């Protein structure tokens, strides 16, 4: 995330908090497309089942954890998270600096406990097709796409960060307690499908 975006985000949040405090307003943020039944802990939802894959629906701003039932093998939604995307969210990432979040089938390829953004799970972008299209156009495909929390030091903002809308450089952002839950539960090698 660029310095200018961080400054804009911080200023916007400070203004909103100041106005809310001045008028005694209660800030409520609606979590889009999240069923109440999905708001339990991921570990509680799994109960011994194994995470099968992750599904991101960019247009709905949600990440769904899909798990395989250990008794019958059926796939179910274990939990749904509200997400923020790259600052230019429509369309597939095609080059470095376009602020787009990739679309397609990838893998969780790494875990970083010392990220600049509270914890992260690496996404295997760019794949061979991404690299080929970028090479054909004479540009860099970019990379370093992650699922991560809020920038270190800004975790206290919690759901207030939703006010900023899509603010990453192409990553998928969730709240800090949510990335902690994902970080502890999702294994390297897990499939992630990112849909428009």
């Amino acid at each position: 995330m660029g310095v200018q975006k961080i400054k804009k985000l911080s200023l916007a949040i400070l203004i909103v908090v100041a106005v809310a405090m001045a008028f005694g307003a209660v800030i409520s943020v609606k979590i889009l497309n999240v069923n109440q039944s999905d708001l339990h802990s991921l570990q509680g939802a799994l109960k011994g089942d194994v995470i099968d894959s992750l599904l991101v629906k960019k247009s709905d701003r949600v990440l769904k954890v899909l798990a395989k039932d250990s008794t019958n093998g059926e796939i179910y939604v274990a939990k749904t998270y509200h997400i923020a995307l790259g600052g230019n969210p429509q369309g597939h990432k095609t080059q470095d600096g376009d602020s787009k979040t990739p679309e397609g089938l990838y893998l969780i390829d790494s875990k970083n406990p010392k990220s600049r953004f509270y914890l992260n799970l690496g996404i295997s972008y760019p794949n061979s097709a991404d690299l080929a299209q970028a090479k054909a156009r004479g540009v860099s495909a970019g990379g370093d796409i992650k699922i991560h929390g809020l920038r270190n030091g800004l975790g206290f903002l919690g759901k207030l960060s939703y006010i900023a809308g899509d603010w990453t450089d192409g990553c998928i952002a969730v709240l800090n307690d949510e990335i902690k839950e994902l970080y502890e539960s999702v294994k390297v090698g897990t499939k992630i499908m990112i849909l428009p």
Side-chain angles (χ1 to χ4, degrees):
M1 182 174 189
V3 173
Q4 292 299 328
K5 286 184 182 179
I6 292 170
K7 287 180 182 177
K8 286 180 185 177
L9 172 64
S10 299
L11 180 60
I13 291 169
L14 287 173
I15 290 169
V16 169
V17 171
V19 169
M21 290 173 65
F23 293 101
V26 175
I27 298 173
S28 64
V29 179
K30 181 180 178 185
I31 301 176
L32 304 176
N33 298 319
V34 178
N35 297 325
Q36 287 298 325
S37 61
D38 290 335
L39 296 178
H40 43 65
S41 79
L42 182 54
Q43 292 297 332
L46 293 175
K47 297 178 187 166
D49 294 345
V50 175
I51 292 175
D52 177 75
S53 56
L54 303 176
L55 175 66
V56 172
K57 186 85 187 313
K58 288 170 58 175
S59 59
D60 291 340
R61 302 302 189 273
V62 293
L63 181 156
K64 296 182 181 235
V65 177
L66 304 178
K68 187 177 285 188
D69 188 303
S70 57
T71 58
N72 61 21
E74 290 185 16
I75 304 295
Y76 66 95
V77 176
K79 190 151 183 192
T80 302
Y81 300 93
H82 176 75
I83 59 173
L85 300 169
N88 186 16
Q90 293 191 357
H92 176 57
K93 183 169 191 64
T94 59
Q95 67 184 60
D96 189 31
D98 65 8
S99 293
K100 292 184 180 292
T101 301
E103 296 171 1
L105 180 62
Y106 298 94
L107 297 173
I108 298 301
D109 64 359
S110 62
K111 292 185 172 190
N112 183 355
K114 297 183 188 237
S115 168
R116 290 182 303 135
F117 296 86
Y118 183 69
L119 301 175
N120 76 46
L121 298 173
I123 297 175
S124 63
Y125 175 88
N127 61 27
S128 57
D130 298 320
L131 291 169
Q133 70 77 27
K135 183 177 181 182
R137 294 172 46 240
V139 297
S140 166
D144 207 26
I145 302 297
K146 313 290 183 183
I147 302 171
H148 61 67
L150 301 179
R151 187 172 189 87
N152 290 334
L154 295 178
F156 68 92
L157 296 173
K159 291 181 181 177
L160 282 174
S161 65
Y162 293 162
I163 294 167
D166 294 318
W167 55 268
T168 76
D169 284 338
C171 295
I172 297 166
V174 294
L175 301 178
N176 285 2
D177 59 330
E178 296 169 337
I179 190 60
K180 185 172 192 292
E181 192 169 61
L182 288 164
Y183 188 88
E184 291 171 352
S185 303
V186 175
K187 294 180 180 177
V188 170
T190 300
K191 294 174 291 191
I192 178 168
M193 174 61 80
I194 307 172
L195 301 175

